[in-house]
Structure formats: structure tokens, C-alpha cells
Amino acid sequence: MLDRLSFPQPYLSLILFVVWQFLSDGMSGASIVMGFVLAWLIPQLTRSFWPDPPAFVRPWKLPFYLALVLYDIVIASISVARLILSGRQPKPVLVSYPLELTHPLAISMLASTISLTPGTVSADVSDDRALLLIHALDAESDEEVINAIRTRYEARLKEMFP
Amino acid sequence: MNTIAEYTLVTLLLAGGFFTLVGAIGLARLPDFYTRLHGPTKATTVGVGAIVLSSVIYFSSKGEGVDISEVLITVFLFLTAPVSANILAKAAMHIGVSTTKNTQGNTWDQ
Amino acid sequence: MITIALYITIAMVVLAAILNVYRLIKGPDAPDRVLALDTLYINAIALIILLGITLGTRLYLEAALLIAVMGFVGTVAMAKYLKRGSVIE
């Protein structure tokens, strides 16, 4: 009974509380109470979807990572826009990327990052979570795509997750 | 409204419209489904992001206080765009949508 | 100056929506059509925000947020239907 009063997913609860403050018009007593209720209730109701506790090791590195990704998204959009407007045919590559990350949340963060940045979309994860299928819009070879992702994103994610 | 805010606003608006349009041109022009996936997931999210940002600046500079609840829309789009791209790519590979001739590598079927 | 930029932006987004409808009609495969619908709802969000700026009201933001949520759920449901043949198993 007592564990029902806890917050099994502290990060999720924090995000839910902050989002509720934005959704209601300005912070007030009512929105803070309601925010607490939602931050407690939703993780309890969706408990079976989140079996593991969160596994961040160095959560303070997350803002730097997000800033890097945001910067890359803007750069990537400009390069994709130039390709689309130039009128030439792109040279697409399908790459099987060998994953070094093991935590499911880390893999999904890497896949989301890949989908949002330089001309790449992550298409599938193999069932044993060892390979990630990436579609690159315009690349010369497999190694180019793999090296870029390995050094720029996966190394940084590996610092944040065990 | 001061001049700097006005110029930023105009730049952001035009950039947003430009990227939205480029995403749609990519969707119409690129040769196969997998390349078309790139248009909406990037150009369009950046386009809407810029338009949302211009909306934040516009309403903040009107002197009603800073309210960034619009940013929730952008955050939501940035969280969901990779998921829908991923699930659409999976569905396309399952159906067996073919790639263009000059694509290196193969799709999976698991 | 803002008004002119606003109208130019609205014209660009509408043109983008027309191109999406072209892809929606042409296909050739079902995933292409789902992708066109996905892009179309993102353009609708952009248009609603622009309408809000034009009219000087923030009331429409909630509608934009709802379209974002519903559009995402719709895309996922259609993609899942294409993959599995049913939405809820």
C-alpha cells in the first residue's frame, strides 16, 4: 500500500508537473495541486509500461546534449533544403548500424536523434537490440554515416547511461 | 514593438514558411518513399518550430508578459516526428515498398 | 512589414499543403499517402498559429495542440493498420 504513494518515475513526474503548469493559464494554487495529482496518478496508472526505474547516470549532461541536437537540426535542415532545391537525384544508403548502447531508453533516444538530424532516418531496430537500420538521404558510404553517429551522438549518450 | 523584435519576427516567419514549403517540395519531388520520409521529419518540424517561436515573440512583445505555452506544440512535434517516421518506415518495409535503383544496401524483413 | 511577411508565410504554407495533397492523390503506395496526411496535419498546425497571429489572439493554440495530439495518434494507428492488419489486437 505504501509504495502506491511513491513516485516510481521521478523524471516523468517532474515533466508531467511542468507541462501541466504550461497548459493551465499561469501558475496558481489549483494548478499546482492538480499538477501534483497528475504527476502521481499517471506514472501509477502506466506502471506496467515502465517496468525498470530510470537509469540515468549523469542527468546533468542532458541539456548540453539537447542543445547540440537542436543546433544540428537547424544545420541539417539547411543541407536537406539545399539538396531538395538543387534538383539533383540523391544517393540514398541503407546502413545497418551496430549499436553499442544497451539500455532501451538510450537506444530510443539515439534513434530519435538520428531521425531528427543530418539527412538520416532510423527505420528499424533488430529484435535483439544489436542493430539499427538507418536510411541516409545523401551519403557516400556506410562508414561515413556510422562514424559520424558513433562519435557525435552515441559517445555522448554512453556517458549518460550505464 | 521595437525594431529588433520586428526584424527577428519577420525573419522567423519567412524561415518557417520556407522550410515548410521545402519539406512539401521534397515530399512531392523525391524518388521513393524512404527518401520522402526525410522531408516532413526535418524541414517541416523546423518550419513549425520557427513559426511557433515567432508567435511567442509576437505575443511577448505586445506586452502581455512572456508566455511560452506555444513551445509545448514544438516539443510535442519534436518528440513525435521520429516515432511516426520510424513506424511508417517499418510498415513500408513490411509491405515491401521498393527503394530507388541507386540505393546502396537492402531493407530488412524481420 | 509584419502583415506582409505574415501573408507571404501563409501563402507558402498553403502552397506546401497543395503539394501534400498532390502526393496524397498520386500515392503510389499506401505509406506515401499516410506520410502525406502526416505532413498535412503539421501544415494545419502552422496555419492555425499564423491565423492566431493575424487575428491577435491566443485562443487557437489549444486547437493546434489538439491537432498535434490527434494527428500523431492517427498516423500511428494507420501505420499499425498497414503493418498488422488491425489497430487494436
Side-chain angles (χ1 to χ4, degrees), chain C residues 62-86:
Chain C
E62 257 97 80
L65 203 58
L66 274 180
I67 290 181
V69 176
M70 291 301 154
F72 171 64
V73 173
T75 306
V76 170
M78 281 189 283
K80 196 161 178 234
Y81 177 75
L82 289 177
K83 192 162 186 282
R84 300 276 177 87
S86 68

